[in-house]
Amino acid sequence: MPDQGTPVVFIHGLWLHSTSWQPWIDHFEAAGYSAVAPGWPHEPDTVEGAREHPEAVADTTIDQATEHFASIIAGLDEAPVIIGHSFGGLITEKLLGQGIGRAGVAIDPAQIKGVLPLPLAQLRSGLPALGNPANLHRAVTLSEKQFRFGFGNALTEQESADIYRRWVVPAPARPLFQVAAANFVLHSQAQVDTHRADRGPLLLISGTADHTVPDVVTRSMLKQYRDSTAVTEFKQFEGRGHSLTVDSGWLDVADTVLDWLHTHGI
């Protein structure tokens, strides 16, 4: 990472490769930050490599991924801003709750323990992994049709297909099983310290048309922070789906995040 500006660590979620953050990296570095987007544990460096070797990420747990990113952050010269999408958003919340990071942005974050709403669209989005218990220790690949429903439902069919071909990779199913069982497990890995008062500011972002993490889920997540005195804020993007970090409207989301960071002097 170049020795310049406040560091930013981008964390992707399931089914998108780390290189999907490249436009954000370029944009944040142009704004004076120093940005990096590491992959999940054992994730191949390229989309092609990830597609050829799904076994590399199979069986990865939430805690393993969180510890992986915590180790990367520990090697930085100063505490970074952490920005995560989907399961990357959940990991962002976990890290911030552990006192790691200067600030956090969780975009369409995966459901944390304590969040109760489970809309039908979200259930359908998770079926490619959760529909077969044998997937627990496997990496699962979405079909183009499944990606269209879970990510690209607010896009044209062509744009959804283009994103699918460019960045979609197999993903470990185990984190989805962990989230699905979170409210029934005493020490769930989807647990986040939402009460911590001495953490950095957190911004939760939702798309109102999201099928994978519906807006009602993110709003319910916001309520989990009601007993914390730390800054926790919420932003909705009207009519946007789960693809909002990688589709043609990504710049609106990125600029909103930059504005929020500047508002908090970061």
Side-chain angles (χ1 to χ4, degrees):
M1 179 181 288
D3 185 19
Q4 58 178 12
T6 299
V8 177
V9 174
F10 292 103
I11 305 176
H12 70 86
L14 304 185
W15 292 305
L16 291 175
H17 193 263
S18 60
T19 53
S20 65
W21 284 117
Q22 191 58 52
W24 287 68
I25 290 174
D26 296 341
H27 192 56
F28 271 67
E29 290 189 341
Y33 294 87
S34 183
V36 65
W40 278 44
H42 311 299
E43 179 183 305
D45 292 337
T46 66
V47 170
E48 293 75 15
R51 290 172 178 168
E52 290 172 3
H53 298 285
E55 74 283 355
V57 298
D59 214 24
T60 303
T61 67
I62 293 172
D63 276 356
Q64 286 171 342
T66 303
E67 290 163 7
H68 168 76
F69 289 106
S71 175
I72 291 170
I73 289 169
L76 302 179
D77 291 335
E78 61 179 289
V81 175
I82 308 171
I83 300 175
H85 172 247
S86 198
F87 265 93
L90 186 155
I91 292 168
T92 297
E93 292 183 68
K94 282 181 68 73
L95 291 169
L96 211 61
Q98 295 170 11
I100 299 171
R102 183 173 177 178
V105 180
I107 305 170
D108 296 337
Q111 208 150 328
I112 66 174
K113 182 178 172 66
V115 173
L116 300 180
L118 191 60
L120 287 175
Q122 186 176 26
L123 283 171
R124 181 176 165 187
S125 294
L127 275 178
L130 299 174
N132 183 355
N135 287 335
L136 176 63
H137 302 294
R138 298 172 176 168
V140 174
T141 301
L142 294 181
S143 69
E144 191 171 321
K145 182 178 179 181
Q146 290 165 340
F147 178 79
R148 170 95 164 122
F149 180 83
F151 282 73
N153 59 291
L155 308 178
T156 65
E157 187 172 350
Q158 183 62 56
E159 183 176 6
S160 180
D162 288 345
I163 294 169
Y164 180 86
R165 286 191 288 268
R166 186 172 185 185
W167 280 314
V168 171
V169 294
R174 195 164 179 183
L176 282 164
F177 282 92
Q178 291 178 305
V179 163
N183 291 326
F184 308 100
V185 176
L186 182 59
H187 299 295
S188 169
Q189 294 188 22
Q191 177 73 53
V192 169
D193 184 353
T194 57
H195 302 282
R196 188 172 187 131
D198 62 345
R199 62 162 170 82
L202 171 65
L203 175 64
L204 300 174
I205 291 177
S206 78
T208 62
D210 194 331
H211 282 172
T212 297
V213 184
D215 177 67
V216 65
V217 173
T218 309
R219 285 188 280 113
S220 179
M221 200 175 301
L222 177 66
K223 293 177 182 177
Q224 299 297 309
Y225 289 92
R226 59 185 175 272
D227 294 328
S228 172
T229 56
V231 172
T232 309
E233 297 176 350
F234 175 62
K235 169 68 178 177
Q236 288 175 311
F237 281 86
E238 194 68 32
R240 301 294 296 279
H242 204 61
S243 65
L244 81 175
T245 60
V246 290
D247 61 35
S248 56
W250 72 269
L251 190 57
D252 291 338
V253 184
D255 281 340
T256 294
V257 173
L258 285 171
D259 289 344
W260 181 80
L261 291 172
H262 295 159
T263 295
H264 290 283
I266 301 171

